[in-house]
Amino acid sequence: MVDIKIVPTICPYCGTGCGINFVVKDDKIVGVEPYKRHPVNEGKVCPKGNFGYQFINREDRLTTPLIKENGEFREASWDEALDLVANKLKEVSDEDPNKVGFYACARSPNENIYITQKLARVACGTQNVDHCARICHGPTVAGLANTFGSGAMTNGFDSIKEADYIFCIGSNNMEAHPLFGRKLIQSKKNGAKLVVLDPRFTPTAKIADEYVEFETGTDVALMNAMIKVIIDKGLQDDEFIKNRTKGFEEMKETVQKYTLDMASEITGIKPEVIEHLAVEYASADKAAIVYSLGITEHSHGADNVMSTANLAMLTGNIGREGTGVNPLRGQNNVQGACDMGALPSDYVGYRKVEDQETTDWFNEYYGVNLPAKKGLTLVEMMNAAHAGDLKVLYIHGEDPVLSDADIKHTREALDNLDMLIVQECFMTDTAQCADVILPAAGWGEQEGTFTSGERRVQCLHKAQEPPEGAWLDWKIMEEIAVRMGVPREKFHYESSEEIFDEIRECAPIFAGMDRKRLDTPEALHWPCPSEDDPCQPLMHKDKFAHPDGLGIFQALEHKGPVEVVDEEYPLLLTTTRVLFHYHAAMTRRCETLDNEVKTGFIEINTEDAKELDIINGEVVKASSRRGSIAIPARVTDDIRKGIVNIPMHFAECAANVLTNSDSFDPKSKMVELKACAIKVEKFDEAVEIKTQLFKDGTVTDIAAEDYTTTIIGK
């Protein structure tokens, strides 16, 4: 008799947090079905949710620890690998904890992330722990914390269905967050007007009531001009400003120079359109702002975020259903990774490292002596490694060789370490660079929780055993901590539930959550301070999260991209995701998804392509000051002239060979992934141009004329 069972879980891709059911046959995951009762997706799934399970039981799963010797990996026992890692971490952290760094995994359950930061802080004594929010929503955490006192989405996802007006800027929901995109469609059916602002005519723009094309990186100038219009016309909410905010007069003074003509010159939007946007937003009874990485991934990303907060506070569009500032998280548990203290500035629950009383509390709780001083961010750790100031880096489930700006710089930094430790399910591009690889369990093979972009903490359920030889992430880190001399009783857990109970003790925002309350389709939203608290998604209803309860207006100036176009590099590059892909380790191992989009492409405006004599589908050479790639051209009118776009998923034509790691946001340390100057050229047929392809763990050189056959299959 065939044994088939259904196991509920949460999708491991974007931050929407859709519920799905594993179909398990003979103790192996063989498919998924939509979770009909789930309140987020209501039985609907996107392509990634439908077919994204196919990577789980791939034959190339890592199942044996690997140690690199003389440039080659050899298999090792768990004892040998764990001893090697523990001894090196102890040696270097005993000498100087600042020479050790940790990357936590934003796709892993909360419990694993919490243990990652605990390993860093308790076993190594370092505050150098971060994760990939630094290069996606770090500016959201910094910007909304400065303005609202909490760096999280202000409303639940369903709140958008009550909006009258939706201001969607720098967010392509229909591809990056499709089930939230469905809620936008529901909002439109309820009578809301959807306005989308983007340099590209995206699938989201195509469902909008109004689409506004503008220049990449000019968000502050646009919103300052809108604020000036609102104030000049007396459309601001004076009562809200008086009773619930501070800093208004300074902000008001700053925006006075942002006339419609000035903003139009900067943004490329006609003055009357900017005025129209301002009046409609301010005049709506319930206006909501939606944004994502198009706002954040700039050298002024935190300023962009704070501009959205200024708009919302100015008009009283905060603390009510149908309003708010709604950042859409890119990864399934990037919200949770921030919540769990995988930040150099924050312990679990956003308790601040630099607050001496808070650090004293954690020192007593953990039995350690941590400094009340921020550690290094992800970007700073990579720069420190490049400079020789960071000796050991422990990467849990992240792939910076693909996702970080300026891949050449990243590879040089990793090569400069004394030891790179990678804890992974697959041989990623980053794992290729490792000195030690520790094979870990994956999605569907462990219990725990994910936290979605709306702060909904949801339970995961184990559907199958990990492959023989792969360990649970938190068990790996427990064994390392014990080998480093941490008493086992301080680092031992029988289950992920025990870990979450410790999280509840450390973070008041989770104190009221227990497994029984979480293990329902509705789950719970933080803050949840007590077990009788309803833990609803709406924040800032009566007061903001600052100690005095007031929101803080920020006086902001337009800065624009650091790297600007010139005669040599006349095009501005931006990067995106596509509907069928996520990061390479997962979706490119899902046959159905990979068949939909086999490789990357560069979107180029029809007029630009004509000037460069480039035709659709032609393989071109794209170059920046950092490197070059060969990549197929996609000629389209759906992107603004002077701007080009490359999806970031594809190692063989990696956008991040081109992007700039030198310019970053001083407030959040976000690198400028959404704007760098490049040039696009035809290949000279008489010259053999080469590009690096990363395939099956090897690096090969391939002539440009062979690229089409090898990669595109045409």
Side-chain angles (χ1 to χ4, degrees):
M1 181 177 177
V2 177
D3 179 20
I4 295 179
K5 61 182 178 179
I6 301 297
V7 179
T9 193
I10 306 301
C11 181
Y13 290 102
C14 80
T16 307
C18 295
I20 56 178
N21 290 313
F22 285 124
V23 179
V24 183
K25 178 181 178 182
D26 297 331
D27 297 321
K28 288 290 183 185
I29 296 166
V30 296
V32 298
E33 289 290 331
Y35 190 170
K36 297 291 196 295
R37 287 184 55 218
H38 199 273
V40 173
N41 53 312
E42 301 173 315
K44 306 294 190 293
V45 289
C46 77
K48 288 190 285 288
N50 208 6
F51 302 108
Y53 71 91
Q54 293 173 347
F55 74 89
I56 299 170
N57 289 311
R58 283 277 301 240
E59 292 182 358
D60 60 342
R61 281 288 299 271
L62 294 169
T63 57
T64 303
L66 300 172
I67 295 173
K68 187 177 285 180
E69 290 181 351
N70 301 317
E72 300 291 333
F73 285 115
R74 66 166 177 83
E75 294 186 353
S77 68
W78 270 104
D79 277 337
E80 181 186 12
L82 292 171
D83 282 342
L84 180 63
V85 168
N87 289 339
K88 188 64 177 181
L89 284 171
K90 182 167 176 53
E91 172 195 333
V92 177
S93 58
D94 281 352
E95 175 192 334
D96 184 353
N98 295 315
K99 294 185 181 298
V100 177
F102 286 77
Y103 285 13
C105 178
R107 294 188 297 282
S108 195
N110 285 319
E111 294 76 6
N112 292 344
I113 298 165
Y114 173 79
I115 294 300
T116 304
Q117 66 83 37
K118 185 174 179 180
L119 178 63
R121 288 174 164 131
V122 173
C124 297
T126 185
Q127 302 282 17
N128 296 343
V129 57
D130 206 356
H131 69 287
C132 66
R134 189 64 51 192
I135 52 170
C136 60
H137 273 288
T140 290
V141 176
L144 295 187
N146 282 344
T147 50
F148 298 156
S150 173
M153 189 171 182
T154 63
N155 293 52
F157 291 146
D158 277 343
S159 169
I160 203 73
K161 292 188 283 188
E162 297 189 31
D164 302 313
Y165 186 87
I166 303 168
F167 185 81
C168 179
I169 182 167
S171 186
N172 181 14
N173 316 121
M174 298 307 294
E175 288 198 278
H177 311 88
L179 271 298
F180 183 83
R182 178 173 178 261
K183 294 183 188 297
L184 293 181
I185 294 171
Q186 292 171 328
S187 302
K188 282 167 55 68
K189 289 181 177 179
N190 291 341
K193 180 172 182 178
L194 173 62
V195 178
V196 172
L197 297 93
D198 202 291
R200 300 169 59 233
F201 190 43
T202 64
T204 307
K206 290 171 184 177
I207 69 164
D209 298 292
E210 186 175 339
Y211 165 60
V212 179
E213 180 185 84
F214 76 116
E215 292 286 349
T216 296
T218 61
D219 312 87
V220 170
L222 167 63
M223 286 183 273
N224 274 356
M226 290 175 64
I227 289 168
K228 175 173 164 50
V229 169
I230 291 168
I231 294 171
D232 288 349
K233 291 182 177 292
L235 298 174
Q236 73 274 12
D237 187 332
D238 290 322
E239 283 300 307
F240 189 94
I241 294 167
K242 177 183 176 182
N243 297 325
R244 296 201 51 192
T245 71
K246 59 186 179 183
F248 173 72
E249 291 300 329
E250 184 181 357
M251 186 274 296
K252 178 182 176 181
E253 182 179 349
T254 298
V255 303
Q256 290 310 304
K257 68 172 75 71
Y258 290 87
T259 63
L260 290 173
D261 287 340
M262 174 187 176
S264 178
E265 185 176 346
I266 293 170
T267 65
I269 306 173
K270 292 179 179 178
E272 60 269 24
V273 174
I274 298 174
E275 182 176 35
H276 161 74
L277 290 171
V279 171
E280 285 206 328
Y281 177 81
S283 300
D285 179 47
K286 295 179 179 179
I289 297 172
V290 173
Y291 74 81
S292 193
L293 304 189
I295 281 282
T296 61
E297 289 186 335
H298 291 273
S299 59
H300 44 84
D303 288 354
N304 292 346
V305 170
M306 291 188 289
S307 291
T308 68
N310 283 346
L311 262 179
M313 290 189 292
L314 179 71
T315 55
N317 278 302
I318 197 80
R320 296 181 290 133
E321 296 294 341
T323 70
V325 176
N326 303 283
L328 298 181
R329 301 293 190 173
Q331 298 198 44
N332 60 305
N333 204 31
V334 74
Q335 179 68 58
C338 295
D339 301 345
M340 292 300 111
L343 296 168
S345 56
D346 296 66
Y347 300 109
V348 59
Y350 303 98
R351 300 179 67 184
K352 299 301 178 186
V353 163
E354 290 187 309
D355 179 73
Q356 187 64 57
E357 186 177 341
T358 297
T359 289
D360 288 345
W361 188 95
F362 277 96
N363 282 337
E364 183 175 356
Y365 186 85
Y366 287 149
V368 294
N369 187 29
L370 293 164
K373 182 181 178 182
K374 291 180 184 178
L376 299 177
T377 65
L378 175 152
V379 175
E380 290 167 330
M381 280 188 263
M382 199 62 75
N383 289 339
H386 197 274
D389 296 328
L390 192 82
K391 298 299 183 183
V392 181
L393 183 58
Y394 192 122
I395 297 180
H396 170 212
E398 297 281 328
D399 194 7
V401 170
L402 180 63
S403 60
D404 280 13
D406 191 354
I407 287 174
K408 180 175 180 288
H409 177 272
T410 301
R411 284 185 167 276
E412 289 172 351
L414 297 181
D415 288 345
N416 205 34
L417 293 163
D418 287 357
M419 180 179 282
L420 173 62
I421 304 149
V422 173
Q423 188 167 308
E424 256 295 355
C425 299
F426 295 102
M427 184 62 78
T428 63
D429 293 310
T430 301
Q432 287 287 329
C433 302
D435 297 291
V436 184
I437 300 176
L438 305 174
W443 176 62
E445 298 167 352
Q446 51 192 319
E447 301 283 317
T449 55
F450 285 161
T451 306
S452 73
E454 62 174 345
R455 311 180 323 280
R456 191 190 296 260
V457 183
Q458 304 184 87
C459 287
L460 310 171
H461 296 95
K462 183 177 178 179
Q464 68 175 38
E465 292 296 326
E468 185 176 357
W471 286 19
L472 294 175
D473 293 272
W474 54 270
K475 281 289 186 185
I476 294 171
M477 289 182 272
E478 175 186 328
E479 288 303 317
I480 291 171
V482 171
R483 281 168 164 80
M484 291 181 68
V486 178
R488 190 174 291 275
E489 62 269 18
K490 291 183 179 292
F491 223 101
H492 177 69
Y493 309 90
E494 292 293 335
S495 66
S496 64
E497 187 174 354
E498 281 192 13
I499 299 173
F500 196 83
D501 285 342
E502 182 170 308
I503 292 166
R504 294 173 64 197
E505 290 181 14
C506 293
I509 63 172
F510 301 114
M513 296 182 175
D514 60 29
R515 185 78 180 190
K516 183 178 180 181
R517 294 190 75 197
L518 290 175
D519 206 359
T520 65
E522 292 74 22
L524 297 169
H525 302 258
W526 67 258
C528 185
S530 65
E531 293 185 7
D532 58 357
D533 192 297
C535 307
Q536 296 300 304
L538 182 63
M539 293 185 77
H540 315 305
K541 183 177 180 180
D542 299 311
K543 61 181 181 178
F544 288 99
H546 288 297
D548 62 4
L550 299 178
I552 305 173
F553 283 104
Q554 304 289 329
L556 306 165
E557 297 284 5
H558 165 71
K559 298 183 179 71
V562 169
E563 189 172 80
V564 297
V565 298
D566 55 24
E567 286 188 11
E568 185 179 4
Y569 297 99
L571 298 170
L572 196 66
L573 170 68
T574 188
T575 60
T576 56
R577 290 190 172 114
V578 298
L579 176 62
F580 298 100
H581 279 295
Y582 200 64
H583 294 306
M586 296 166 72
T587 55
R588 297 199 78 185
R589 286 179 168 85
C590 300
E591 182 179 5
T592 304
L593 297 173
D594 198 48
N595 283 338
E596 291 292 333
V597 183
K598 296 291 289 183
T599 194
F601 51 86
I602 182 166
E603 285 184 323
I604 183 167
N605 177 270
T606 304
E607 291 183 41
D608 288 327
K610 185 176 181 180
E611 291 173 6
L612 294 167
D613 192 26
I614 289 169
I615 62 173
N616 192 49
E618 177 181 3
V619 178
V620 298
K621 180 182 179 184
S623 306
S624 73
R625 291 175 175 85
R626 289 152 294 280
S628 301
I629 58 172
I631 188 167
R634 179 175 289 184
V635 179
T636 176
D637 289 327
D638 289 349
I639 192 165
R640 186 176 179 84
K641 187 178 185 330
I643 296 177
V644 292
N645 171 61
I646 300 177
M648 54 77 63
H649 316 282
F650 303 96
E652 68 273 13
C653 47
N656 285 325
V657 167
L658 309 176
T659 52
N660 184 8
S661 65
D662 291 335
S663 59
F664 54 86
D665 181 3
K667 297 182 177 71
S668 67
K669 303 301 189 290
M670 162 64 74
V671 290
E672 194 152 55
L673 289 166
K674 283 290 183 279
C676 77
I678 75 164
K679 61 183 174 183
V680 177
E681 305 167 279
K682 292 176 71 71
F683 279 117
D684 182 346
E685 293 180 356
V687 179
E688 185 180 284
I689 305 294
K690 296 191 175 184
T691 182
Q692 286 190 322
L693 302 181
F694 299 86
K695 189 175 182 182
D696 299 328
T698 61
V699 180
T700 58
D701 283 334
I702 181 168
E705 56 266 28
D706 296 331
Y707 183 93
T708 305
T709 301
T710 306
I711 301 302
I712 308 172
K714 291 184 180 177

